Amino acid sequence: MEMAMATAMARSALVKKYLRVGVGVDSSPFNFNAIRCRFFSEEVRTSFKSEVTDRVISVVKNFQKVDPSKVTPNANFQNDLGLDSLDSVEIVMALEEEFGFEIPDKEADKINSINLAVDFIASHPQAK
Amino acid sequence: MAKVVPTRSEVLFLFRSLLRTARQFSDYNIREYTKRRTIDGFRQNRTLSDPDSIASAFSHGKAQLEIAKRQAVVYSLYAPKVKSIMDLKPCNSI
């Protein structure tokens, strides 16, 4: 009887040893994973914007009247690239085709530089 | 009939509407022709300064827009089954 009790206690001690869960090791809110997740989402957002910038620049470079060497992310269509209002309309239409959505006339009239185009397209939920 | 001289934004609106309509044609040749013709027409008339000729060019453009819209619908009713010859499957292989 005593023997059996001792065996049972020894067994339960053994089980408890394995079942014990460490508390307070990884409970810090600023652990590595949380920080990495935040950086990751930040990275995705900025990389989408830089992808939009690249695609906008390549569309503008392909436009036949534009000198490709003059195209920079800050270029203004009329002052830097020497385009007129008809050309700006054509570029906005080409951007619509590239990103697969329709830009309303009101917004399209405002887009007169590569920066504005990138900002508008990157903030638009339908842009692909 | 007194002709009204269009404003700058009205002209740009007509230009954009013509380009948007041009995209609706299913046939590549017609689509590209309409686009090219629109751009060339506006380029050609950009130096007009006489109010009468501006007004008549503008009303001509509006009439062309109506035609393009109507034809886009008509052509879409009679669109060929195969859009491009590239879509055709090769017949019996040689």
Side-chain angles (χ1 to χ4, degrees):
Chain A
M1 181 70 189
E2 235 167 76
M3 180 85 166
M5 201 135 149
T7 326
M9 278 180 74
R11 194 178 292 146
S12 80
L14 209 64
V15 167
K16 271 181 195 158
K17 195 175 146 196
Y18 282 105
L19 282 185
R20 184 175 291 155
V21 176
V23 176
V25 179
D26 261 347
S27 61
S28 154
F30 300 108
N31 65 23
F32 179 63
N33 272 336
I35 292 172
R36 205 174 53 169
C37 281
R38 218 171 55 211
F39 278 152
F40 182 64
S41 73
E42 193 85 350
E43 195 177 299
V44 164
R45 205 172 58 78
T46 54
S47 80
F48 177 63
K49 193 158 182 182
S50 68
E51 187 205 318
V52 168
T53 312
D54 288 347
R55 281 164 70 189
V56 168
I57 286 179
S58 76
V59 166
V60 176
K61 275 186 181 171
N62 281 331
F63 194 67
Q64 50 182 356
K65 276 176 211 155
V66 169
D67 178 6
S69 61
K70 281 188 190 166
V71 179
T72 60
N74 295 316
N76 183 291
F77 293 156
Q78 291 174 11
N79 299 335
D80 301 326
L81 302 176
L83 301 173
D84 60 13
S85 51
L86 294 179
D87 296 317
S88 325
V89 172
E90 278 182 59
I91 285 187
V92 172
M93 301 290 288
L95 289 174
E96 282 187 2
E97 275 169 33
E98 165 71 19
F99 290 94
F101 73 106
E102 201 153 293
I103 301 175
D105 289 351
K106 254 190 189 172
E107 310 294 334
D109 285 339
K110 285 185 210 151
I111 295 177
N112 62 0
S113 70
I114 291 185
N115 259 337
L116 282 176
V118 170
D119 285 344
F120 179 73
I121 293 169
S123 69
H124 202 282
Q126 277 177 320
K128 321 179 194 156
Chain B
M1 189 182 114
K3 283 187 172 173
V4 188
V5 179
T7 64
R8 179 189 171 84
S9 63
E10 278 174 329
V11 174
L12 288 178
F13 181 72
L14 177 65
F15 183 55
R16 192 173 284 127
S17 310
L18 275 162
L19 288 179
R20 279 196 204 287
T21 313
R23 286 202 295 213
Q24 291 168 10
F25 287 105
S26 57
D27 184 336
Y28 171 83
N29 286 322
I30 300 174
R31 201 165 57 228
E32 290 300 307
Y33 168 74
T34 316
K35 188 180 167 193
R36 197 170 60 235
R37 179 69 183 86
T38 303
I39 294 171
D40 289 350
F42 276 80
R43 292 256 155 247
Q44 204 182 355
N45 287 337
R46 61 182 290 207
T47 51
L48 290 183
S49 52
D50 173 34
D52 262 0
S53 48
I54 293 177
S56 70
F58 185 70
S59 62
H60 175 67
K62 279 210 289 199
Q64 294 298 310
L65 176 62
E66 291 306 314
I67 294 174
K69 277 185 173 167
R70 190 188 68 217
Q71 287 309 112
V73 173
V74 171
Y75 282 134
S76 76
L77 294 177
Y78 299 102
K81 276 180 193 155
V82 181
K83 235 181 191 178
S84 152
I85 197 149
M86 301 294 282
D87 297 338
L88 285 175
K89 279 184 195 141
C91 337
N92 304 325
S93 50
I94 306 158

